[in-house]
Amino acid sequence: MRILDELEGCAAIGISGHENPDGDCVGSCMGLALYLKKALPAARVDVFLEDPRPELKKNIPGADQIITDFRTDVESYDAFVILDSAKNRISGAEALFDRAGKTINIDHHVSNPGSAMVNYIDGTSSSACELVCEVIDWSLMDAEIACALYIGIMTDTGVFRFSNTSKKTMQTAGELLTYGFDFPAIIREVYFEKTWVQQKMLGRALLESKSCIGGRCIVSTLNHDSIRSLGGVGKDVEGIVSALVTTTGADCAIFAHERANGEWRVSLRSNRIVDVAVIAERYGGGGHVRASGCTLPPERVIQMAIREMVEMARAQIDAEKQDRTRSS
């Protein structure tokens, strides 16, 4: 797909991504928006997202222009693009998407069946930003567009250490680096640095974590009162599940935190065996084989749900063990 062909004649274009936007979501939305503003200077391009984390707003060019209250004077956009998400996760932008003359969905989540009139879905890609790199004209690439897209690729691959990193991913990231932004500082600030509150939250989650399946699965939860007592908000739990899954001997990790409205957001990660997308889909969520999530309603007993998830992980680990035994 060539995005300019799909947007030919469009005077007003809306862009959005999933709730609680991460680096790939913000990076892909802003990377595409910056590109379209350059390629279609007469067009209006608006990005609608929940307020990104401070480190993303600081490092992703144009992020300060994101419309976080989802208000606009445009009654109906000529085209609306969803990135890094299906329609059901774009929060306050869903009505804008539904009213648009043309809808486009670009995503790398295997659980996304395609939510638009035009769908560009590739579950083998590392990130939505990598897909944006495929649909734009690189002759218009510049340092700001490259920086936004690099941040998305870098964060969704865990600084190129997750299994979704391919040869093409590395080649694309390498090309983006040639545009001259300060990538060492960006990696440090966006991926590794934590605020003092975030560090305390990680410490609490680690202290309260449990080892399951003989150490193959690490589980932790933080309720809303715990988060608030440490001076934090929901965004401050970012990265906890990734820390849990780095435990020696662990193949997967499950982390749940309670939101102010009583919902539980569950994040799942795995290293080699467990397909966490299958587990998340069982609870109405989805994502990647190695990184997925779901949201449980307030009335759901979180500990019971987590026990069910652990048993699903156990079944996959046991099945893999049996397969190895039969083949040896």
Side-chain angles (χ1 to χ4, degrees):
M1 181 176 79
R2 184 173 180 267
I3 194 65
L4 291 183
D5 291 341
E6 299 297 338
L7 297 176
E8 185 176 1
C10 292
I13 303 164
I15 298 174
S16 190
H18 59 74
E19 59 189 359
N20 190 24
D22 57 10
D24 187 33
C25 180
V26 182
S28 59
C29 287
M30 289 314 309
L32 181 61
L34 292 168
Y35 168 78
L36 293 178
K37 289 178 180 180
K38 191 173 183 179
L40 304 171
R44 172 172 173 169
V45 181
D46 294 333
V47 177
F48 301 89
L49 289 171
E50 293 177 356
D51 198 19
R53 302 193 309 276
E55 65 271 20
L56 296 177
K57 288 185 80 169
K58 175 183 176 183
N59 286 282
I60 295 179
D64 58 338
Q65 300 170 24
I66 292 172
I67 302 170
T68 58
D69 62 5
F70 298 91
R71 295 179 180 176
T72 177
D73 58 356
V74 178
E75 178 60 30
S76 177
Y77 284 90
D78 297 315
F80 204 99
V81 185
I82 297 176
L83 291 153
D84 199 34
S85 178
K87 170 188 169 180
N88 62 346
R89 293 189 61 210
I90 60 173
S91 190
E94 189 169 348
L96 299 174
F97 175 83
D98 288 339
R99 291 198 299 269
K102 183 174 188 177
T103 56
I104 300 170
N105 192 187
I106 300 173
D107 193 13
H108 68 125
H109 292 92
V110 294
S111 56
N112 186 354
S115 303
M117 299 172 184
V118 178
N119 298 291
Y120 192 71
I121 313 293
D122 183 357
T124 67
S125 185
S126 72
S127 56
C129 282
E130 185 174 325
L131 294 178
V132 171
C133 288
E134 295 176 8
V135 302
I136 64 174
D137 182 350
W138 277 65
S139 67
L140 296 175
M141 183 68 73
D142 58 32
E144 288 195 335
I145 299 170
C147 178
L149 297 174
Y150 178 86
I151 287 175
I153 295 173
M154 179 270 293
T155 53
D156 248 30
T157 58
V159 195
F160 309 102
R161 61 190 174 90
F162 296 159
S163 61
N164 61 341
T165 307
S166 67
K167 177 181 177 181
K168 187 177 77 170
T169 304
M170 300 298 285
Q171 290 172 331
T172 301
E175 279 296 314
L176 294 173
L177 288 181
T178 64
Y179 288 86
F181 49 90
D182 188 359
F183 73 91
I186 287 171
I187 292 174
R188 183 182 67 252
E189 293 178 6
V190 171
Y191 197 84
F192 290 106
E193 285 186 359
K194 305 289 183 186
T195 66
W196 179 234
V197 168
Q198 289 170 332
Q199 297 286 35
K200 288 194 294 181
M201 217 114 62
L202 172 60
R204 175 70 63 84
L206 291 171
L207 283 171
E208 298 186 2
S209 64
K210 296 178 181 179
S211 176
C212 307
I213 321 177
R216 304 301 299 278
C217 181
I218 308 299
V219 172
S220 186
T221 63
L222 285 178
N223 61 33
H224 181 63
D225 288 342
S226 294
I227 293 171
R228 190 171 55 181
S229 71
L230 294 171
V233 294
K235 293 177 183 179
D236 291 319
V237 303
E238 183 73 26
I240 289 178
V241 70
S242 296
L244 296 175
V245 82
T246 61
T247 305
T248 300
D251 185 75
C252 65
I254 303 171
F255 173 70
H257 76 276
E258 186 183 21
R259 293 171 168 170
N261 63 1
E263 291 180 340
W264 285 87
R265 178 63 186 172
V266 184
S267 299
L268 304 100
R269 298 290 184 274
S270 74
N271 290 319
R272 189 177 65 87
I273 298 171
V274 178
D275 181 344
V276 293
V278 170
I279 299 175
E281 287 168 10
R282 168 70 175 75
Y283 297 89
H288 319 296
V289 171
R290 300 287 169 247
S292 290
C294 58
T295 301
L296 302 181
E299 62 271 15
R300 189 72 188 247
V301 179
I302 188 63
Q303 296 303 334
M304 183 181 296
I306 288 180
R307 283 196 295 270
E308 293 171 355
M309 293 179 189
V310 170
E311 290 308 308
M312 292 177 71
R314 186 195 301 275
Q316 292 189 43
I317 291 171
D318 288 346
E320 193 270 347
K321 189 185 302 181
Q322 292 171 4
D323 287 344
R324 279 192 291 109
T325 301
R326 282 194 293 266
S327 62
S328 62

